[in-house]
């Protein structure tokens, strides 16, 4: 599996406008494909079910259940996402590929057992009005989703974005096809279709891993050993995912904006749809992020540390650092630029699009601010990513925990300020953490070579 | 290992020993042992400075009873380091350090900053630069990068950085020792270098006098080590490399040790060398002439005198080299000379008496050389042996070194009635041919040849081996010279004088 940076650079080397376009399109598809697929698939399943699944609120119940399952499984696995990303990156760096699969199995086992132990009793207790089958499906899907995220993490660590994308396409495609057949069993049928799709997705990713990284031992817990676990990353991953979902939870459960859908699960009619639509607009930003980070920034990052390690002159070290900073800055600016264009496009045609989709125009202001906020989220991701490359884990923890806190607090404040301010909590919290992040990054990069040499 | 070291809370004389007694055997170590035992009424203390604990395999000497205090410090072993934390560092103290490094470029003995003489400069973060500031402060970083940009001609910054760090780190370790060491009435260092620097700090800190006895010339020996070391990086590429110019890092090390040497010379009340040539060299290296003096090594002649009677009538066809198997002794030169002698005198044997574990790679090379010159059966690596047992079987003692001080082994051989052929290094010429008219009148006790000249070495040795008359004359000269000028008693009297004055 060739690294993605390598593949993108090969595309860029052809050096024509078309090649550049091709590169960004490719990067956009592999970086955003999986979650675009999931959002679209869940929407389509909803649409095709409406004629068959009666009463209609069952479709809303399905969509809400899936949204919660995704949110909760992401927040739950947030504790291990970054720590395991780092663990697998370190093993790959140490050329210990044989450790990857057994430790993935160890982590999957650990996650399944703890996730299952939490999910099954809680689902049984919290969904008293639903059928036992639904409850079983709900809890099982939670566990399978957790496993999907973890397997996807290892594959992206191995830069096998294409394999991830293909498996997501196959998994969600299967779910869609099964939904057509199983929709006659209403809510339970749709849930089963989704679960089977996820199961195929998980098996597909595992198959790729088993094929490419054969190993002798089946299960290891090396990733838990004291020397190899970074506690700060455990919490950074958790706060990041919590931060991303914090405003949604607030809107779901605030009495002004949330309504009960199924069991204890609330949805927010006014908030949900614009937010998820807005996320579709970050596709170009994600493409730029991937190209800029994996090619330009990483190239100078590698040169800088190579110069430090392998005896470059101080002038060369300074030059490479300056180039690295320039690439970081340009990368972030490019994300901002492309997202600004995306936002303008939404501003121009948003009203028409909502019309065509049959969505009331009241959503429009919220859609606008959510498009801006989703763009900010990509910028934030860019800043965090630079910190991960520089291995400044303390900064990443600070920024993500600040983000989670701000998003929680400001979303509550935005609700009390009235419907016109909905979405501003999310946008403002990202705005603040980005500014903090850039300010700190500026200072940290100034001192980079001093800290690289003298603090050892 | 250290728990059974003798410990005391006060001594008369504190010896500062870098890489010698009691862990390394050799001329200087034996001399230290001799001095301690020669003054049973004085209470001695000693600090052994080594590189890594693992480099030394146990004590090579039984500790004398009057050595009442011993500490071993390993400068390059992992040691307790200050907490790693970013901070600025003391601005005025770094200005002083900046001036010092400018001063190194054009040293003027009268203008060395006094700040460096105070151990608080190294220990007190408020008034100086402590270890933590040296390792982690921003000003330290600024200083290192400035020095690199202004001076370094090697492109590799990372190598410069670690060279500078590793070179200077012992300074703070030594300042720490100077601050906590038990009191002594006199400090006596047997080399400049790190030990000499420690001696200087102790002198300035306590006001007690420092005596420096240099056997070899430390900076010169270091220079040879540095030239032969492959651990010093040279990153210049083919175009940047000027073959007449040594690697910048080698140069840096050499200048560093020269500077430590000057610091030590400046603080020593008495600077002792073994022979006149060495004294002149010290003055050239920055020692104030009025503090220098010569005290040659002396030996216990009575111990060796009886061996003259146990010798066989005919001259044993054996050339003996007594010394460690290390490059500085140029054992290969000796092996090549044996090859040449064997062409005329097939029964000749070359004995190499001395430990070969110090530089195993070099020892292997020597064996391979003997093998390839087809004299492996003529050359015997006998390891460490008692000279008393070896001397009667020796025809001529050979010293093929590229550097020596005043080699005791020559004096011992003389006392045992053996002539010698030696390279013209250190005091060898003075010992073999005499120094001053009275001495020269005694005649030649063998031959002196240039360094790394196996042909000349072979010719001189051969002359002695095959000519009993010449051999007898050389023996006469050897015995008279050692009895007249190089007795232990003479040396003890001189040091007794120094110690007594120092303790006032």
């Amino acid at each position: 599996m060739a690294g993605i940076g390598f593949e993108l650079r090969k595309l860029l080397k052809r050096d024509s406008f078309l090649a550049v376009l091709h590169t960004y399109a490719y990067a956009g598809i592999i970086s955003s494909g999986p979650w675009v697929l999931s959002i679209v698939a869940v929407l389509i399943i909803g649409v095709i079910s409406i004629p068959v699944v009666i009463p209609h609120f069952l479709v809303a119940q399905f969509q809400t259940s899936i949204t919660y399952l995704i949110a909760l499984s992401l927040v739950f696995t947030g504790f291990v996402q970054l720590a395991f990303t780092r663990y697998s990156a370190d093993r790959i760096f140490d050329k210990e590929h044989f450790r990857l699969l057994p430790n993935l199995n160890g982590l999957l086992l650990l996650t399944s057992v703890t996730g299952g132990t939490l999910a099954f009793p809680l689902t049984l207790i919290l969904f008293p009005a639903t059928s036992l089958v639904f409850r079983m499906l709900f809890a099982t899907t939670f566990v399978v989703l957790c496993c999907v995220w973890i397997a996807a993490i290892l594959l992206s660590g191995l830069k096998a974005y294409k394999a991830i994308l293909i498996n997501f396409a196959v998994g969600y495609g299967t779910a869609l096809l099964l939904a057509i057949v199983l929709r006659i069993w209403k809510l339970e049928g749709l849930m089963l279709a989704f679960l089977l799709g996820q199961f195929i997705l998980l098996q597909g990713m595992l198959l790729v891993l088993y094929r490419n990284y054969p190993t002798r031992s089946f299960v290891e817990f090396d990733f838990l050993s004291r020397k190899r676990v970074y506690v700060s990353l455990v919490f950074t991953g958790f706060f990041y995912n919590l931060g991303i979902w914090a405003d949604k939870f607030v809107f779901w459960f605030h009495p002004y904006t949330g309504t009960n859908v199924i069991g204890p699960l609330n949805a927010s009619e006014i908030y949900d749809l614009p937010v998820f639509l807005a996320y579709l607009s970050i596709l170009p930003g994600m493409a730029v992020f991937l190209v800029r980070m994996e090619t330009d920034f990483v190239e100078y990052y590698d040169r800088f540390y190579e110069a430090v390690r392998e005896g470059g002159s101080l002038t060369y070290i300074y030059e490479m650092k300056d180039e690295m900073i320039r690439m970081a800055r340009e990368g972030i600016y490019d994300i901002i630029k492309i997202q600004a264009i995306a936002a303008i496009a939404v501003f121009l045609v948003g009203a028409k699009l909502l019309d065509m989709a049959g969505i009331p125009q009241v959503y429009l202001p919220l859609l606008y601010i959510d498009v801006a906020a989703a763009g900010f989220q990509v910028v934030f991701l860019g800043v965090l990513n630079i910190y991960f490359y520089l291995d400044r884990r303390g900064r990443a923890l600070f920024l993500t925990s600040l983000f989670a806190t701000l998003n929680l607090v400001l979303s509550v404040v935005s609700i009390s300020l009235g419907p016109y301010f909905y979405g501003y909590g999310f946008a403002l919290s990202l705005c603040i953490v980005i500014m903090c992040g850039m300010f700190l990054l500026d200072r940290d990069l100034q001192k980079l070579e001093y800290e690289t040499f003298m603090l050892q | 290992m250290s728990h059974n070291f003798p410990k005391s809370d006060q001594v008369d004389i504190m010896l500062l020993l870098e890489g010698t007694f009691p862990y390394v055997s050799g001329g200087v170590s034996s001399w230290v042992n001799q001095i301690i035992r020669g003054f049973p009424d004085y209470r001695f203390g000693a600090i052994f400075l080594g590189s890594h604990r693992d480099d030394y395999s146990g004590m090579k000497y039984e500790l004398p009873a009057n050595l009442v205090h011993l500490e071993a410090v390993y400068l390059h072993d992992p040691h307790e380091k200050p907490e790693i934390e970013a901070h600025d560092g003391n601005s005025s103290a770094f200005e002083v350090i900046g001036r010092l490094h400018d001063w190194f470029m054009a040293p003027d003995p009268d203008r060395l900053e006094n700040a460096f003489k105070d151990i608080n400069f190294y220990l007190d973060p408020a008034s100086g630069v402590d270890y933590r500031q040296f390792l982690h402060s921003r000003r330290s970083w600024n200083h290192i990068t400035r020095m690199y940009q202004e001076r370094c001609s090697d492109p590799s910054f990372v190598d410069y950085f670690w060279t500078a760090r590793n070179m200077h780190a012992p300074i703070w370790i030594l300042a720490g020792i100077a601050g906590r060491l038990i009191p002594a009435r006199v400090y006596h260092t047997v080399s400049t270098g790190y030990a000499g620097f420690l001696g200087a700090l102790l002198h300035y800190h306590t006001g007690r006098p420092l005596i420096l006895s240099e056997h070899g010339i430390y900076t010169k020996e270091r220079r040879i080590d540095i030239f032969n070391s492959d651990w010093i990086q040279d990153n210049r590429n083919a175009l940047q490399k000027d073959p007449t110019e040594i690697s910048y890092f080698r140069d840096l090390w050499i200048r560093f040790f020269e500077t430590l040497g000057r610091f030590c010379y400046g603080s020593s009340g008495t600077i002792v060398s073994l022979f006149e040539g060495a004294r002149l060299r010290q003055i050239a290296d920055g020692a104030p002439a009025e503090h220098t003096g010569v005290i040659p090594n002396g030996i216990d002649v009575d111990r060796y005198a009886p061996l003259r009677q146990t010798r066989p009538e005919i001259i044993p066809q054996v050339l003996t080299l007594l010394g460690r198997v290390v490059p500085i002794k140029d054992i290969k030169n000796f092996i090549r000379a044996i090859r040449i002698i064997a062409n005329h005198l097939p029964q000749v044997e070359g004995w190499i008496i001395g430990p070969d574990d110090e530089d195993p790679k070099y020892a292997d090379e020597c064996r391979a050389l003997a093998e390839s010159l087809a004299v492996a059966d003529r050359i015997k690596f006998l390891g460490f042996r008692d000279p008393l047992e070896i001397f009667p079987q020796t025809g001529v003692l050979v010293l093929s070194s590229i550097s020596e001080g005043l080699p005791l082994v020559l004096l011992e051989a003389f006392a045992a009635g053996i002539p010698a052929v030696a390279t013209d290094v250190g005091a060898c010429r003075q010992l073999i041919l005499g120094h001053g008219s009275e001495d020269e009148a005694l005649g030649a006790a063998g031959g002196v040849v240039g360094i790394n000249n196996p042909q000349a070495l072979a010719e001189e040795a051969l002359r002695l081996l095959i000519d009993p008359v010449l051999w007898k004359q050389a023996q006469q000269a050897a015995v008279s010279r050692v009895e007249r000028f190089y007795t232990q008693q003479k040396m003890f009297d001189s040091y007794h004088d120094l110690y007594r004055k120092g303790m006032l």
Side-chain angles (χ1 to χ4, degrees), chain A residues 308-309 311-314 317-318 449-450 453-456, chain B residues 87 135-138 140-141 148 155-158 162 165:
Chain A
V308 166
R309 277 194 311 266
S313 71
L314 190 58
I317 293 173
Y318 283 148
E449 57 286 330
Y450 159 68
F453 279 99
M454 295 297 278
L455 301 189
Q456 56 178 332
Chain B
H87 65 292
L135 289 178
H136 304 307
S137 75
R138 270 180 211 100
S140 178
W141 168 253
Y148 169 84
S156 169
F157 178 71
V158 70
W162 286 109
R165 215 183 216 197

mmCIF file of all heavy atoms in Angstrom, chain A residues 308-309 311-314 317-318 449-450 453-456, chain B residues 87 135-138 140-141 148 155-158 162 165:
data_model
loop_
_atom_site.group_PDB
_atom_site.id
_atom_site.type_symbol
_atom_site.label_atom_id
_atom_site.label_comp_id
_atom_site.label_asym_id
_atom_site.label_seq_id
_atom_site.Cartn_x
_atom_site.Cartn_y
_atom_site.Cartn_z
ATOM 1 N N VAL A 308 17.735 18.005 11.140
ATOM 2 C CA VAL A 308 18.086 18.010 12.561
ATOM 3 C C VAL A 308 18.846 16.735 12.914
ATOM 4 O O VAL A 308 19.885 16.777 13.560
ATOM 5 C CB VAL A 308 16.815 18.139 13.423
ATOM 6 C CG1 VAL A 308 17.107 17.810 14.873
ATOM 7 C CG2 VAL A 308 16.233 19.542 13.287
ATOM 8 N N ARG A 309 18.338 15.612 12.477
ATOM 9 C CA ARG A 309 18.930 14.329 12.858
ATOM 10 C C ARG A 309 20.209 14.018 12.106
ATOM 11 O O ARG A 309 21.167 13.514 12.666
ATOM 12 C CB ARG A 309 17.941 13.195 12.583
ATOM 13 C CG ARG A 309 16.917 12.952 13.643
ATOM 14 C CD ARG A 309 16.249 11.606 13.385
ATOM 15 N NE ARG A 309 15.811 11.487 11.999
ATOM 16 C CZ ARG A 309 14.583 11.784 11.585
ATOM 17 N NH1 ARG A 309 13.701 12.224 12.432
ATOM 18 N NH2 ARG A 309 14.253 11.629 10.326
ATOM 19 N N GLY A 311 22.379 15.912 10.477
ATOM 20 C CA GLY A 311 23.519 16.817 10.375
ATOM 21 C C GLY A 311 23.429 17.861 9.288
ATOM 22 O O GLY A 311 24.400 18.109 8.587
ATOM 23 N N GLY A 312 22.273 18.476 9.130
ATOM 24 C CA GLY A 312 22.187 19.625 8.228
ATOM 25 C C GLY A 312 22.787 20.837 8.922
ATOM 26 O O GLY A 312 22.955 20.851 10.138
ATOM 27 N N SER A 313 23.124 21.858 8.143
ATOM 28 C CA SER A 313 23.650 23.063 8.769
ATOM 29 C C SER A 313 22.503 23.824 9.422
ATOM 30 O O SER A 313 21.339 23.602 9.103
ATOM 31 C CB SER A 313 24.318 23.947 7.724
ATOM 32 O OG SER A 313 23.334 24.518 6.890
ATOM 33 N N LEU A 314 22.857 24.691 10.344
ATOM 34 C CA LEU A 314 21.817 25.423 11.063
ATOM 35 C C LEU A 314 21.004 26.289 10.106
ATOM 36 O O LEU A 314 19.792 26.395 10.229
ATOM 37 C CB LEU A 314 22.450 26.280 12.163
ATOM 38 C CG LEU A 314 21.478 26.912 13.147
ATOM 39 C CD1 LEU A 314 20.638 25.863 13.842
ATOM 40 C CD2 LEU A 314 22.224 27.741 14.179
ATOM 41 N N ILE A 317 18.579 24.093 8.490
ATOM 42 C CA ILE A 317 17.517 23.750 9.440
ATOM 43 C C ILE A 317 16.516 24.898 9.536
ATOM 44 O O ILE A 317 15.303 24.693 9.474
ATOM 45 C CB ILE A 317 18.113 23.418 10.824
ATOM 46 C CG1 ILE A 317 18.932 22.126 10.752
ATOM 47 C CG2 ILE A 317 17.025 23.299 11.881
ATOM 48 C CD1 ILE A 317 19.687 21.793 12.015
ATOM 49 N N TYR A 318 17.047 26.131 9.664
ATOM 50 C CA TYR A 318 16.161 27.297 9.728
ATOM 51 C C TYR A 318 15.313 27.411 8.454
ATOM 52 O O TYR A 318 14.117 27.682 8.502
ATOM 53 C CB TYR A 318 16.978 28.586 9.882
ATOM 54 C CG TYR A 318 17.518 28.839 11.266
ATOM 55 C CD1 TYR A 318 18.728 29.492 11.468
ATOM 56 C CD2 TYR A 318 16.792 28.443 12.395
ATOM 57 C CE1 TYR A 318 19.228 29.734 12.738
ATOM 58 C CE2 TYR A 318 17.280 28.686 13.665
ATOM 59 C CZ TYR A 318 18.502 29.331 13.837
ATOM 60 O OH TYR A 318 18.980 29.576 15.086
ATOM 61 N N GLU A 449 13.107 25.058 17.056
ATOM 62 C CA GLU A 449 14.431 24.431 17.084
ATOM 63 C C GLU A 449 15.067 24.527 18.478
ATOM 64 O O GLU A 449 15.746 23.596 18.901
ATOM 65 C CB GLU A 449 15.344 24.904 15.957
ATOM 66 C CG GLU A 449 15.639 26.375 15.819
ATOM 67 C CD GLU A 449 14.484 27.187 15.262
ATOM 68 O OE1 GLU A 449 13.677 26.673 14.478
ATOM 69 O OE2 GLU A 449 14.381 28.355 15.614
ATOM 70 N N TYR A 450 14.759 25.614 19.188
ATOM 71 C CA TYR A 450 15.237 25.670 20.578
ATOM 72 C C TYR A 450 14.688 24.489 21.376
ATOM 73 O O TYR A 450 15.422 23.775 22.061
ATOM 74 C CB TYR A 450 14.816 26.992 21.232
ATOM 75 C CG TYR A 450 14.794 26.978 22.742
ATOM 76 C CD1 TYR A 450 15.973 26.875 23.468
ATOM 77 C CD2 TYR A 450 13.594 27.028 23.439
ATOM 78 C CE1 TYR A 450 15.956 26.842 24.843
ATOM 79 C CE2 TYR A 450 13.563 27.002 24.813
ATOM 80 C CZ TYR A 450 14.742 26.913 25.523
ATOM 81 O OH TYR A 450 14.729 26.866 26.888
ATOM 82 N N PHE A 453 16.117 21.002 20.306
ATOM 83 C CA PHE A 453 17.479 20.680 20.749
ATOM 84 C C PHE A 453 17.644 20.753 22.260
ATOM 85 O O PHE A 453 18.219 19.859 22.874
ATOM 86 C CB PHE A 453 18.479 21.631 20.088
ATOM 87 C CG PHE A 453 18.836 21.238 18.690
ATOM 88 C CD1 PHE A 453 18.237 21.833 17.611
ATOM 89 C CD2 PHE A 453 19.775 20.239 18.464
ATOM 90 C CE1 PHE A 453 18.562 21.459 16.327
ATOM 91 C CE2 PHE A 453 20.104 19.858 17.183
ATOM 92 C CZ PHE A 453 19.490 20.474 16.104
ATOM 93 N N MET A 454 17.148 21.825 22.855
ATOM 94 C CA MET A 454 17.532 22.091 24.240
ATOM 95 C C MET A 454 16.668 21.367 25.273
ATOM 96 O O MET A 454 17.086 21.216 26.409
ATOM 97 C CB MET A 454 17.483 23.595 24.514
ATOM 98 C CG MET A 454 18.498 24.391 23.727
ATOM 99 S SD MET A 454 20.207 23.985 24.118
ATOM 100 C CE MET A 454 20.463 24.956 25.600
ATOM 101 N N LEU A 455 15.486 20.955 24.881
ATOM 102 C CA LEU A 455 14.643 20.312 25.892
ATOM 103 C C LEU A 455 14.753 18.801 25.764
ATOM 104 O O LEU A 455 13.774 18.088 25.632
ATOM 105 C CB LEU A 455 13.197 20.793 25.763
ATOM 106 C CG LEU A 455 13.021 22.302 25.921
ATOM 107 C CD1 LEU A 455 11.557 22.671 26.012
ATOM 108 C CD2 LEU A 455 13.765 22.847 27.138
ATOM 109 N N GLN A 456 15.972 18.326 25.785
ATOM 110 C CA GLN A 456 16.208 16.889 25.777
ATOM 111 C C GLN A 456 17.391 16.569 26.663
ATOM 112 O O GLN A 456 18.104 17.427 27.101
ATOM 113 C CB GLN A 456 16.436 16.387 24.365
ATOM 114 C CG GLN A 456 17.575 17.105 23.648
ATOM 115 C CD GLN A 456 17.801 16.536 22.265
ATOM 116 O OE1 GLN A 456 17.537 15.392 22.011
ATOM 117 N NE2 GLN A 456 18.308 17.347 21.361
ATOM 118 N N HIS B 87 13.386 27.839 29.821
ATOM 119 C CA HIS B 87 13.528 29.077 30.578
ATOM 120 C C HIS B 87 14.596 29.947 29.906
ATOM 121 O O HIS B 87 15.305 29.481 29.013
ATOM 122 C CB HIS B 87 13.870 28.798 32.041
ATOM 123 C CG HIS B 87 15.204 28.141 32.229
ATOM 124 N ND1 HIS B 87 15.463 26.861 31.823
ATOM 125 C CD2 HIS B 87 16.354 28.602 32.756
ATOM 126 C CE1 HIS B 87 16.708 26.559 32.109
ATOM 127 N NE2 HIS B 87 17.279 27.598 32.678
ATOM 128 N N LEU B 135 22.092 23.415 30.075
ATOM 129 C CA LEU B 135 21.432 22.399 29.259
ATOM 130 C C LEU B 135 20.182 22.921 28.561
ATOM 131 O O LEU B 135 19.928 22.560 27.417
ATOM 132 C CB LEU B 135 21.050 21.198 30.125
ATOM 133 C CG LEU B 135 22.184 20.308 30.619
ATOM 134 C CD1 LEU B 135 21.634 19.205 31.503
ATOM 135 C CD2 LEU B 135 22.953 19.702 29.453
ATOM 136 N N HIS B 136 19.390 23.746 29.245
ATOM 137 C CA HIS B 136 18.039 23.976 28.727
ATOM 138 C C HIS B 136 17.643 25.423 28.473
ATOM 139 O O HIS B 136 16.549 25.661 27.982
ATOM 140 C CB HIS B 136 17.021 23.359 29.692
ATOM 141 C CG HIS B 136 17.254 21.906 29.944
ATOM 142 N ND1 HIS B 136 17.370 21.000 28.925
ATOM 143 C CD2 HIS B 136 17.425 21.199 31.086
ATOM 144 C CE1 HIS B 136 17.596 19.795 29.436
ATOM 145 N NE2 HIS B 136 17.643 19.895 30.734
ATOM 146 N N SER B 137 18.493 26.382 28.808
ATOM 147 C CA SER B 137 17.981 27.758 28.730
ATOM 148 C C SER B 137 18.040 28.325 27.315
ATOM 149 O O SER B 137 18.814 27.865 26.469
ATOM 150 C CB SER B 137 18.754 28.670 29.677
ATOM 151 O OG SER B 137 20.024 28.932 29.133
ATOM 152 N N ARG B 138 17.227 29.311 27.056
ATOM 153 C CA ARG B 138 17.195 29.970 25.750
ATOM 154 C C ARG B 138 18.502 30.687 25.475
ATOM 155 O O ARG B 138 19.010 30.685 24.357
ATOM 156 C CB ARG B 138 16.043 30.969 25.699
ATOM 157 C CG ARG B 138 14.797 30.319 25.187
ATOM 158 C CD ARG B 138 13.626 31.274 25.109
ATOM 159 N NE ARG B 138 12.459 30.470 25.342
ATOM 160 C CZ ARG B 138 11.823 30.384 26.489
ATOM 161 N NH1 ARG B 138 12.197 31.119 27.505
ATOM 162 N NH2 ARG B 138 10.807 29.575 26.631
ATOM 163 N N SER B 140 21.406 29.901 26.535
ATOM 164 C CA SER B 140 22.404 28.895 26.202
ATOM 165 C C SER B 140 22.258 28.506 24.727
ATOM 166 O O SER B 140 23.241 28.412 23.988
ATOM 167 C CB SER B 140 22.192 27.680 27.114
ATOM 168 O OG SER B 140 23.096 26.664 26.804
ATOM 169 N N TRP B 141 21.020 28.322 24.309
ATOM 170 C CA TRP B 141 20.747 28.012 22.898
ATOM 171 C C TRP B 141 21.272 29.134 21.994
ATOM 172 O O TRP B 141 21.944 28.889 20.994
ATOM 173 C CB TRP B 141 19.254 27.809 22.705
ATOM 174 C CG TRP B 141 18.813 27.779 21.272
ATOM 175 C CD1 TRP B 141 18.125 28.754 20.615
ATOM 176 C CD2 TRP B 141 19.024 26.726 20.317
ATOM 177 N NE1 TRP B 141 17.895 28.379 19.319
ATOM 178 C CE2 TRP B 141 18.439 27.140 19.102
ATOM 179 C CE3 TRP B 141 19.662 25.486 20.363
ATOM 180 C CZ2 TRP B 141 18.458 26.369 17.954
ATOM 181 C CZ3 TRP B 141 19.684 24.717 19.210
ATOM 182 C CH2 TRP B 141 19.094 25.151 18.038
ATOM 183 N N TYR B 148 28.214 28.531 16.678
ATOM 184 C CA TYR B 148 28.187 27.697 15.476
ATOM 185 C C TYR B 148 28.255 28.575 14.228
ATOM 186 O O TYR B 148 29.033 28.316 13.311
ATOM 187 C CB TYR B 148 26.911 26.857 15.468
ATOM 188 C CG TYR B 148 26.635 26.157 14.154
ATOM 189 C CD1 TYR B 148 27.225 24.925 13.861
ATOM 190 C CD2 TYR B 148 25.795 26.722 13.208
ATOM 191 C CE1 TYR B 148 26.992 24.298 12.661
ATOM 192 C CE2 TYR B 148 25.555 26.095 11.994
ATOM 193 C CZ TYR B 148 26.152 24.884 11.724
ATOM 194 O OH TYR B 148 25.911 24.260 10.524
ATOM 195 N N PRO B 155 29.568 21.456 8.528
ATOM 196 C CA PRO B 155 28.166 21.811 8.286
ATOM 197 C C PRO B 155 27.187 21.252 9.320
ATOM 198 O O PRO B 155 26.129 21.830 9.516
ATOM 199 C CB PRO B 155 27.890 21.218 6.903
ATOM 200 C CG PRO B 155 28.942 20.191 6.688
ATOM 201 C CD PRO B 155 30.131 20.650 7.446
ATOM 202 N N SER B 156 27.521 20.138 9.944
ATOM 203 C CA SER B 156 26.499 19.463 10.746
ATOM 204 C C SER B 156 26.237 20.183 12.063
ATOM 205 O O SER B 156 27.067 20.185 12.968
ATOM 206 C CB SER B 156 26.927 18.036 11.044
ATOM 207 O OG SER B 156 26.061 17.492 12.009
ATOM 208 N N PHE B 157 25.061 20.772 12.171
ATOM 209 C CA PHE B 157 24.737 21.453 13.421
ATOM 210 C C PHE B 157 24.517 20.456 14.545
ATOM 211 O O PHE B 157 24.926 20.690 15.676
ATOM 212 C CB PHE B 157 23.506 22.337 13.254
ATOM 213 C CG PHE B 157 23.121 23.016 14.530
ATOM 214 C CD1 PHE B 157 23.908 24.026 15.044
ATOM 215 C CD2 PHE B 157 22.004 22.609 15.245
ATOM 216 C CE1 PHE B 157 23.590 24.642 16.243
ATOM 217 C CE2 PHE B 157 21.671 23.222 16.443
ATOM 218 C CZ PHE B 157 22.464 24.243 16.938
ATOM 219 N N VAL B 158 23.870 19.347 14.252
ATOM 220 C CA VAL B 158 23.544 18.410 15.334
ATOM 221 C C VAL B 158 24.829 17.865 15.961
ATOM 222 O O VAL B 158 24.923 17.694 17.180
ATOM 223 C CB VAL B 158 22.593 17.285 14.856
ATOM 224 C CG1 VAL B 158 23.261 16.312 13.922
ATOM 225 C CG2 VAL B 158 21.991 16.552 16.040
ATOM 226 N N TRP B 162 26.000 18.499 19.923
ATOM 227 C CA TRP B 162 26.323 17.447 20.901
ATOM 228 C C TRP B 162 27.792 17.471 21.298
ATOM 229 O O TRP B 162 28.132 17.140 22.434
ATOM 230 C CB TRP B 162 25.908 16.074 20.370
ATOM 231 C CG TRP B 162 24.431 15.932 20.439
ATOM 232 C CD1 TRP B 162 23.556 15.924 19.396
ATOM 233 C CD2 TRP B 162 23.629 15.839 21.632
ATOM 234 N NE1 TRP B 162 22.275 15.824 19.867
ATOM 235 C CE2 TRP B 162 22.277 15.771 21.218
ATOM 236 C CE3 TRP B 162 23.914 15.809 23.002
ATOM 237 C CZ2 TRP B 162 21.228 15.673 22.119
ATOM 238 C CZ3 TRP B 162 22.863 15.710 23.895
ATOM 239 C CH2 TRP B 162 21.538 15.643 23.461
ATOM 240 N N ARG B 165 27.955 20.157 23.822
ATOM 241 C CA ARG B 165 27.295 19.769 25.057
ATOM 242 C C ARG B 165 28.113 18.738 25.839
ATOM 243 O O ARG B 165 28.339 18.881 27.027
ATOM 244 C CB ARG B 165 25.925 19.185 24.729
ATOM 245 C CG ARG B 165 24.925 19.530 25.763
ATOM 246 C CD ARG B 165 23.603 18.896 25.453
ATOM 247 N NE ARG B 165 22.565 19.824 25.856
ATOM 248 C CZ ARG B 165 21.309 19.506 26.029
ATOM 249 N NH1 ARG B 165 20.906 18.288 25.802
ATOM 250 N NH2 ARG B 165 20.446 20.386 26.426
#
